[in-house]
Amino acid sequence: MTTDLATSPSRPDRSPAHRRRRPLQRLLLGALSLGLIAVLGLAGLAAWFWSQADISNVGQLGFANQLKIPPLLQPRQDGAGRKVFDLRLQAGTSELVAGKRTQTWGVNGSYLGPTVRAARGDKIVMHVRNDLAEPTTIHWHGMHLPAAADGGPHQPIQPGSTWSPSWRVDQPAATLWYHPHPHEATEDHVYRGLAGLFLLDDPDAGALPLPDRYGVDDIPVILQDKRFDRDGNLDFGQSPFSPIGRLGDQLLVNGTHDPYLDITSQRVRLRLLNASTARVYSVGFADDRTFDLIASDGGLLERPHRTTRMPLSPGERAEIVAEFQPGERAVLRSYPPDLGLDRFQRRFAGADDAFDLLQLRAGATLTPSPPVPDRLAYHQQLDEAGVVRTRRLELNGSSRINDLRMDLGRIDQTVTADTTELWEITNRSGNPHNFHVHGVQFNVASYLGGPPPPHLAGWKDTVFIPPDGTVRLLVQFPGYSDPILPYMFHCHLLQHEDNGMMGQFLVVQPGQPLTSPSQQHHHDPRQNPTSRELQPESDRVTGP
Ligand SMILES: [Cu+2]
């Protein structure tokens, strides 16, 4: 039965004027209903996305799979006494979720890569062979090294070829990592599975009574979120409302879904790495037990920080030591992180989400572990009095820094080797971001107007910045200088990075002549007036 009374044949027309109005009324009514349907549809769609955006696996895991521990990569020794590591980037399939084969990428395997380990003073050579069908790069995140060895977008490895950077490790013990950094494709390459840990040791850290048996009481915990389609393949889609990029609804630790770990000692060190492309975690335990934060990105804190939560944005690392009772089961959990967002943004940025990460199963008897020492390291913190220059960088929207998108042919900043600068980074967008600087570890001089909180008080290379937040970083630039090849600074939310929220800086000796990287990339100078931009005193720079 029709409900359209205007066209009902039982109602006779009364006048020509009435007849003329009918089509108009029908049109108006039609437009109105269409509009209403559209509005309701959009509201429904938004409500659906809203309801779908709230993700939690808390209480739903069976902890069925033993946590995979990435193997330690054994180096060869070459004639010059250098440690030589062989990495091969390859495609394959992995069983990431039970019963499904997923097409993945990995290093010396089908998903993730081995743990590389070296000590302060080691001379190392990395042979990185690309057996993928497209070019990529491998960046040594957190490493102090020459720009030519950095593995940013200026060091692409073509399919079938090998890149062999070499450097001398000269920085404190730390949990670093390696991952691809190709121009505008980093998010996809990391999401497919290319990443691994790069652990550094030094004698001072080695002498401390900290858990240090790899895979026994010193455990890598690589956190990644994924979304799978019905066939078990990686889903590259994302919510149109997400301000930060792709967020998964499944959690992997070291590539293990639904993982548990048997522990045999009273204290366990967990080396947390956020290797997700966008998701921010706030790591704690399901029973809210306290733990000791002992190290951040660049190595040990001066003193352990006793806490119940450790926020980790993409690229950041933290080492924590937790204590267990014989026979107990504890669950490592990520709680909704504080991203400084409003209610709507929070939902779509994963800030309402919670994940059980890993169940720790303590044996009936546990080997005693010494308590965490009160003093872990003696840092020479960078001193604001030694600052020779202040630079101000603004993160705009989701793709620009100081209103510019990344351009491989443009040098954004030029700094002098071995000097200390203050970098003031302000998030001018409504989106959450973080900020990573290549080649260095920095100190946070101030965070959101106050002193750095304890978890940001040590050496860092990546720091989270909420909307409208300002962080001030003390950065000492490396002794390595290169008048041609730049280092990168960028947001480590990888979609933002790929979209252009990245810039380049050269480290040069005083008075060193500069060469444009555009000459290497056959850049059209008419599109990029590099002669102006390559001046050391960039016009984007402001003094203190
Ligand atoms: Cu960002």
Side-chain angles (χ1 to χ4, degrees):
M1 185 185 120
T2 175
T3 53
D4 187 358
L5 297 179
T7 58
S8 167
S10 64
R11 308 185 100 212
D13 292 340
R14 278 179 288 258
S15 69
H18 198 107
R19 235 178 325 215
R20 277 199 305 277
R21 271 204 308 274
R22 283 272 162 97
L24 190 67
Q25 281 175 340
R26 276 210 301 273
L27 205 70
L28 278 173
L29 206 68
L32 218 69
S33 0
L34 273 179
L36 198 67
I37 287 167
V39 166
L40 284 176
L42 277 177
L45 206 64
W48 184 82
F49 275 117
W50 174 269
S51 67
Q52 295 299 302
D54 185 12
I55 301 168
S56 171
N57 72 0
V58 169
Q60 294 166 16
L61 295 185
F63 305 111
N65 306 308
Q66 187 173 21
L67 180 72
K68 292 175 198 154
I69 303 293
L72 279 173
L73 183 60
Q74 294 305 319
R76 297 179 277 120
Q77 201 89 17
D78 75 0
R82 302 182 302 180
K83 285 182 180 167
V84 182
F85 295 92
D86 294 302
L87 300 179
R88 180 172 167 264
L89 316 180
Q90 58 193 87
T93 58
S94 308
E95 189 176 332
L96 294 180
V97 282
K100 305 265 188 184
R101 302 302 299 177
T102 305
Q103 312 244 343
T104 53
W105 290 0
V107 185
N108 299 358
S110 61
Y111 190 77
L112 292 179
T115 297
V116 181
R117 190 154 203 168
R120 190 166 199 163
D122 283 348
K123 288 176 183 148
I124 59 176
V125 185
M126 309 300 303
H127 290 309
V128 187
R129 181 178 165 80
N130 182 5
D131 280 338
L132 298 166
E134 59 184 282
T136 190
T137 82
I138 290 292
H139 163 60
W140 319 103
H141 184 125
M143 194 78 71
H144 178 60
L145 38 49
D150 185 52
H154 291 281
Q155 287 91 42
I157 316 169
Q158 297 304 324
S161 66
T162 300
W163 177 59
S164 300
S166 169
W167 69 94
R168 183 172 167 273
V169 173
D170 189 17
Q171 65 191 88
T175 301
L176 310 185
W177 67 302
Y178 60 89
H179 64 79
H181 210 302
H183 188 50
E184 296 178 344
T186 295
E187 184 190 30
D188 274 8
H189 288 202
V190 172
Y191 192 65
R192 289 173 190 276
L194 296 181
L197 284 172
F198 202 134
L199 308 185
L200 297 184
D201 301 309
D202 74 43
D204 293 341
L208 293 169
L210 292 170
D212 62 358
R213 291 171 297 157
Y214 183 80
V216 179
D217 61 3
D218 183 351
I219 309 292
V221 178
I222 303 172
L223 301 175
Q224 295 180 303
D225 58 328
K226 298 276 182 247
R227 200 175 278 275
F228 298 95
D229 66 19
R230 236 169 290 167
D231 300 328
N233 275 316
L234 290 173
D235 185 342
F236 289 85
Q238 69 179 64
S239 162
F241 296 104
S242 170
I244 59 173
R246 193 178 292 151
L247 290 171
D249 57 355
Q250 302 295 321
L251 213 288
L252 302 178
V253 182
N254 303 344
T256 323
H257 186 242
D258 199 9
Y260 74 89
L261 173 73
D262 286 318
I263 55 175
T264 54
S265 59
Q266 183 191 0
R267 289 187 175 83
V268 174
R269 174 199 231 165
L270 302 174
R271 296 181 188 251
L272 309 172
L273 159 65
N274 182 346
S276 288
T277 56
R279 185 175 287 287
V280 180
Y281 300 94
S282 177
V283 179
F285 284 90
D287 61 3
D288 264 333
R289 73 182 61 195
T290 57
F291 53 84
D292 283 311
L293 172 69
I294 59 166
S296 55
D297 298 339
L300 293 166
L301 304 180
E302 292 204 321
R303 297 175 187 284
H305 169 53
R306 195 128 187 104
T307 185
T308 56
R309 294 285 185 278
M310 181 61 214
L312 274 186
S313 70
E316 288 187 293
R317 289 86 64 209
E319 296 177 34
I320 65 173
V321 175
E323 191 178 342
F324 300 93
Q325 301 302 319
E328 75 164 332
R329 293 185 170 195
V331 173
L332 194 69
R333 177 174 291 174
S334 177
Y335 289 87
D338 178 9
L339 305 185
L341 302 175
D342 64 36
R343 201 161 160 257
F344 183 81
Q345 282 254 35
R346 211 165 64 208
R347 172 62 63 94
F348 291 108
D352 287 344
D353 299 353
F355 289 95
D356 282 344
L357 305 172
L358 170 69
Q359 187 188 54
L360 298 123
R361 300 179 181 172
T365 57
L366 297 176
T367 312
S369 320
V372 173
D374 291 334
R375 189 88 198 192
L376 297 167
Y378 293 88
H379 286 319
Q380 240 169 350
Q381 299 276 336
L382 298 175
D383 186 357
E384 213 163 324
V387 165
V388 300
R389 179 103 191 224
T390 296
R391 294 174 202 260
R392 297 197 172 88
L393 302 177
E394 293 186 357
L395 311 180
N396 315 111
S398 58
S399 59
R400 287 162 294 125
I401 296 178
N402 285 352
D403 283 321
L404 295 172
R405 276 174 199 262
M406 165 70 173
D407 182 336
L408 280 168
R410 182 190 69 233
I411 297 299
D412 298 280
Q413 309 289 339
T414 302
V415 305
T416 306
D418 287 318
T419 63
T420 302
E421 297 194 353
L422 189 74
W423 282 26
E424 192 175 289
I425 322 296
T426 299
N427 181 349
R428 289 271 179 235
S429 75
N431 301 327
H433 297 298
N434 69 11
F435 191 76
H436 170 51
V437 187
H438 285 211
V440 295
Q441 294 289 331
F442 50 73
N443 287 148
V444 178
S446 72
Y447 190 76
L448 313 184
H455 71 276
L456 300 179
W459 291 111
K460 293 286 294 170
D461 56 52
T462 307
V463 63
F464 179 75
I465 315 179
D468 302 320
T470 294
V471 300
R472 293 163 70 250
L473 310 176
L474 287 163
V475 196
Q476 187 166 49
F477 291 93
Y480 304 113
S481 59
D482 192 321
I484 301 168
L485 285 172
Y487 297 95
M488 306 294 131
F489 54 84
H490 59 90
C491 176
H492 216 286
L493 279 61
L494 300 181
Q495 197 163 93
H496 293 173
E497 173 187 336
D498 285 341
N499 286 344
M501 190 173 271
M502 175 151 61
Q504 311 194 92
F505 69 100
L506 285 178
V507 179
V508 298
Q509 297 298 330
Q512 192 168 19
L514 307 176
T515 315
S516 165
S518 63
Q519 292 167 10
Q520 296 196 321
H521 290 271
H522 312 289
H523 212 83
D524 182 352
R526 285 162 304 185
Q527 286 173 7
N528 268 290
T530 46
S531 56
R532 178 182 63 83
E533 280 147 351
L534 280 172
Q535 287 169 10
E537 308 294 314
S538 159
D539 58 358
R540 298 300 311 183
V541 172
T542 47

